[in-house]
Amino acid sequence: MSTFESNEILDKLPNHLKQFIIPQPYDEYTPQNQAVWRYIMKKNVDYLSKVAHNSYLDGLKQTGVSLEKIPTMYGMNRILKEIGWAAVSVDGFIPPAAFMEFQAYNVLVIAADIRTIDHIEYTPAPDIIHESAGHAPIIANPEYAEYLRRFGEIGCKAISSAQDYEIYEAIRHLSILKEDVSSDPKNVQLAEEKVIALQNSVTSLSEMSLIRNLHWWTVEYGLIGTLEDPKIYGAGLLSSIGESKWCMSDKVAKLPYTLDAAYQSFDITQPQPQLFVTPDFAHLSYVLESLANKMALRRGGLSGVQKLIESNALGTIELSTGLQISGVFTNVIAGEFNQTAYIQTTGKTALSYREKELIGHSTDYHSEGFGSPIGKLKGINIAIEDMSPTDLEMYGIYEGKQTTLTFEGDIIVSGEVITGKRNLQGKIVLISFKNCTVKHGGTILFHPDWGIYDMAVGNKIVSAFSGPADVKSFDLIDHVPSEKTHKIQLGNKEQQLNELYFKTKQLRDSKSIEGLETIFNELVQNFPDEWLLPLEILELAISYSLPWVDKIEAHINQVKTHNPDKAHLVDDGIELLSITSSF
């Protein structure tokens, strides 16, 4: 596992999240990267001061995000701790469930890479501009920070479909290719086609898909205020100098933010045709809770188990007694009235109570799976969990008794009672048998030769969710994406250009202009189409009232003529030179 600088908040992270954290590769940021950061931040602050929610500018100050240089995780964490948050560096997109679980721990995930100058207006890949300059400032707003934490808490429990992870991997692969300027266009096209094909093949939206959609239309692309005068708060818009302007035009439909947003898909490769406007941050939490009320997390039942089976992934059900069963669910038997009669896991399974594994019921003990009837006994109105000691003895559920229990779902358990476990309220949650047979019709579900039979006690399933109840029960250190982001290798020409960026930055930092004209002349001779560095040089020349400013401006006009697609970026940069920032 890579080492990283920890703190009080990060110390609380479970190991399966720490595996995603990488040391911030600060030394790998080039002088041009620093200039890209500086350009975007100055442009954003100028424009966003007019169209962003007022929490944005306040938050930049509160979260330690500087306009002048790419922030370090250490510097951000030193300030973020004052508002109860922390930040970590990761490699590009991480799985949605992990991303949201980080949020549940009040940890902001920040992609280590920074967009290239070729993608200065927008990148489909997460980068440090998007994460630190987009997400971080808004969490300084307490109402929004709580929404983000709560979103993570609920979102990481959402059940995925078998297709979700495949779609995630395809999107991650596409984002990596699109950010790498050396990628073969044919490979990019194939990756785009794969993402589209996978998304089009989805016939029904999983819980994770619904959560992911809500996250996109709020945390990433959310607007706040009125339909007539919305303000930006979504990180995707705050960090994109192209889309932050586009989204304010009449070409983008503005819709009231409701639960309908969960059913609205999105395309990461295209500007969004519509955006949702929430009246305030409190309304975000209202919609989130409305979605949570529809999830198996709160509904449980037969449909919850079926979702877990379809996911083919580690999940948990919680019974009305509080007993939690975590494993890969592979079978469910339905009884009358669409009730769950029996559940079955395959492979390592753990039993827990209130997110803490029961002693003696680890994955080592239940290494080959777990099965149990659910519900009441046939013909008996009182559930086992509600039976008094007298009731239990009356119905033969007593230590040393040979008993046969017939459940409403026609599951029959016959064996000698050994013992039982109770919860804090005194309700029995688990009964162990020896010489036990469990059957449903002619199907044997448990045979005496298989050893001790542990039967879960619960009248119904009250919750079903993704992941284990106790994260310590399972070894989850195996979910890091296989494909790494591409590290761009600089050729001699690029290194020479970056050296000029570096020398210019040194002059600015040292408040000197010695050698600036030499840098400019070398730039004109060797890099006639470069547009950002001339702006950096012009800024210094204007600041010191140098007599050759006209020469720089003439060159910049030539750059615009030769590169019309960059003209608007150059013009915006020139406009920024006259703006004094308070940061």
Side-chain angles (χ1 to χ4, degrees):
M1 187 181 300
S2 299
T3 58
F4 60 92
E5 189 165 1
S6 194
N7 56 43
E8 292 179 3
I9 295 175
L10 300 183
D11 286 342
K12 297 176 183 178
L13 290 174
N15 286 335
H16 72 275
L17 290 183
K18 289 180 180 178
Q19 69 177 326
F20 291 101
I21 304 174
I22 63 172
Q24 185 185 14
Y26 204 88
D27 292 342
E28 294 180 12
Y29 299 137
T30 67
Q32 188 184 64
N33 290 155
Q34 295 285 0
V36 165
W37 169 275
R38 194 166 177 265
Y39 176 90
I40 290 176
M41 290 305 298
K42 289 199 169 192
K43 183 172 170 56
N44 272 5
V45 167
D46 171 50
Y47 177 66
L48 293 174
S49 63
K50 308 176 188 74
V51 298
H53 187 265
N54 55 22
S55 296
Y56 176 72
L57 293 180
D58 294 339
L60 279 176
K61 297 175 183 177
Q62 287 183 254
T63 52
V65 179
S66 164
L67 269 66
E68 290 297 324
K69 61 182 180 179
I70 299 170
T72 64
M73 292 302 101
Y74 172 75
M76 287 190 66
N77 277 323
R78 188 164 41 83
I79 299 175
L80 282 172
K81 71 178 182 180
E82 300 299 326
I83 57 174
W85 281 71
V88 294
S89 184
V90 299
D91 183 50
F93 277 122
I94 65 173
F99 182 90
M100 284 182 269
E101 193 173 359
F102 270 109
Q103 287 183 190
Y105 282 93
N106 281 25
V107 174
L108 191 63
V109 172
I110 296 181
D113 290 338
I114 183 169
R115 69 194 65 180
T116 62
I117 193 171
D118 301 276
H119 297 131
I120 196 167
E121 291 189 279
Y122 170 79
T123 174
D127 75 335
I128 194 166
I129 295 176
H130 170 80
E131 311 287 8
S132 59
H135 286 294
I138 301 296
I139 64 171
N141 181 293
E143 184 75 37
Y144 182 76
E146 173 56 19
Y147 166 72
L148 205 61
R149 185 203 67 79
R150 185 66 175 149
F151 197 108
E153 197 171 53
I154 293 171
C156 71
K157 300 293 187 183
I159 301 172
S160 300
S161 70
Q163 279 184 307
D164 282 339
Y165 198 80
E166 189 179 2
I167 292 174
Y168 153 71
E169 286 276 21
I171 290 175
R172 176 180 165 86
H173 176 62
L174 173 61
S175 71
I176 291 172
L177 289 181
K178 293 198 78 166
E179 183 55 29
D180 186 349
V181 294
S182 64
S183 294
D184 186 333
K186 291 182 180 178
N187 291 335
V188 174
Q189 183 180 350
L190 288 173
E192 286 181 334
E193 291 171 354
K194 183 175 181 179
V195 169
I196 293 170
L198 285 171
Q199 290 176 332
N200 289 341
S201 67
V202 175
T203 55
S204 61
L205 293 175
S206 68
E207 289 183 352
M208 181 55 77
S209 295
L210 297 174
I211 280 286
R212 191 172 62 240
N213 287 346
L214 271 196
H215 193 271
W216 181 266
W217 298 120
T218 60
V219 176
E220 298 294 354
Y221 278 80
L223 298 176
I224 186 169
T226 64
L227 296 180
E228 296 74 28
D229 183 29
K231 301 296 182 184
I232 297 172
Y233 74 91
L237 297 173
L238 292 173
S239 61
S240 171
I241 57 181
E243 282 215 87
S244 60
K245 282 193 173 181
W246 164 259
C247 77
M248 287 294 156
S249 72
D250 293 337
K251 296 177 181 178
V252 179
K254 313 299 191 299
L255 307 174
Y257 179 61
T258 67
L259 191 56
D260 291 342
Y263 300 89
Q264 177 63 57
S265 60
F266 57 88
D267 182 353
I268 69 164
T269 67
Q270 301 293 329
Q272 307 309 311
Q274 76 283 306
L275 294 174
F276 294 89
V277 185
T278 183
D280 48 46
F281 288 139
H283 184 67
L284 297 180
S285 296
Y286 169 78
V287 173
L288 174 62
E289 296 298 332
S290 298
L291 178 59
N293 288 337
K294 295 176 176 290
M295 291 168 56
L297 174 66
R298 294 184 181 172
R299 289 195 168 187
L302 177 62
S303 64
V305 185
Q306 290 170 333
K307 287 180 181 179
L308 288 176
I309 292 173
E310 291 167 6
S311 75
N312 194 32
L314 175 62
T316 298
I317 64 167
E318 181 175 330
L319 305 183
S320 48
T321 55
L323 182 72
Q324 296 165 316
I325 304 164
S326 300
V328 178
F329 289 81
T330 52
N331 188 35
V332 62
I333 298 174
E336 286 187 300
F337 310 112
N338 215 29
Q339 298 296 310
T340 307
Y342 190 87
I343 56 91
Q344 177 70 54
T345 66
T346 299
K348 291 186 174 184
T349 304
L351 306 185
S352 302
Y353 179 73
R354 290 188 173 178
E355 286 75 49
K356 186 176 182 181
E357 183 179 284
L358 292 180
I359 296 173
H361 292 277
S362 68
T363 57
D364 289 336
Y365 181 70
H366 297 290
S367 61
E368 297 181 4
F370 180 86
S372 179
I374 306 293
K376 292 181 179 179
L377 297 174
K378 185 172 283 189
I380 300 174
N381 287 330
I382 187 170
I384 294 176
E385 63 208 65
D386 296 324
M387 289 182 179
S388 66
T390 302
D391 294 327
L392 291 169
E393 186 173 13
M394 179 187 304
Y395 294 115
I397 308 172
Y398 204 77
E399 182 183 352
K401 291 284 185 73
Q402 182 70 33
T403 189
T404 296
L405 305 176
T406 302
F407 286 81
E408 288 180 338
D410 293 324
I411 308 296
I412 300 174
V413 179
S414 299
E416 182 181 332
V417 178
I418 302 174
T419 187
K421 286 186 180 290
R422 295 179 182 273
N423 64 17
L424 293 175
Q425 287 73 40
K427 292 186 176 185
I428 193 160
V429 299
L430 193 71
I431 301 171
S432 298
F433 299 82
K434 65 180 180 181
N435 301 321
C436 186
T437 299
V438 182
K439 60 183 180 179
H440 177 248
T443 303
I444 300 296
L445 302 173
F446 192 89
H447 192 278
D449 294 344
W450 299 350
I452 302 298
Y453 179 67
D454 298 295
M455 185 185 80
V457 175
N459 183 36
K460 60 183 179 180
I461 297 171
V462 297
S463 181
F465 55 87
S466 176
D470 186 340
V471 295
K472 297 178 182 178
S473 295
F474 294 82
D475 179 11
L476 301 174
I477 313 296
D478 61 357
H479 298 289
V480 174
S482 55
E483 183 182 16
K484 303 299 182 185
T485 54
H486 298 176
K487 301 302 178 186
I488 297 174
Q489 302 299 317
L490 299 180
N492 291 334
K493 199 75 172 173
E494 289 84 358
Q495 289 178 11
Q496 184 183 353
L497 176 60
N498 269 287
E499 183 63 23
L500 296 180
Y501 270 102
F502 178 69
K503 289 178 180 178
T504 305
K505 181 179 183 300
Q506 277 188 315
L507 293 180
R508 185 172 62 249
D509 292 345
S510 62
K511 295 180 169 47
S512 169
I513 55 171
E514 185 178 351
L516 182 63
E517 190 168 10
T518 301
I519 295 171
F520 174 71
N521 290 334
E522 187 176 345
L523 172 70
V524 172
Q525 181 177 350
N526 297 322
F527 305 96
D529 290 331
E530 172 66 23
W531 66 269
L532 181 54
L533 185 53
L535 294 175
E536 297 259 298
I537 294 173
L538 179 61
E539 180 181 14
L540 284 172
I542 292 175
S543 298
Y544 289 91
S545 302
L546 298 183
W548 46 281
V549 167
D550 291 348
K551 187 166 67 169
I552 305 174
E553 291 176 340
H555 170 70
I556 288 175
N557 284 329
Q558 282 188 321
V559 172
K560 288 168 55 179
T561 302
H562 295 155
N563 302 275
D565 59 322
K566 299 292 190 297
H568 66 290
L569 293 171
V570 176
D571 288 339
D572 288 348
I574 292 172
E575 185 180 342
L576 287 171
L577 296 182
S578 62
I579 297 170
T580 302
S581 174
S582 60
F583 286 86

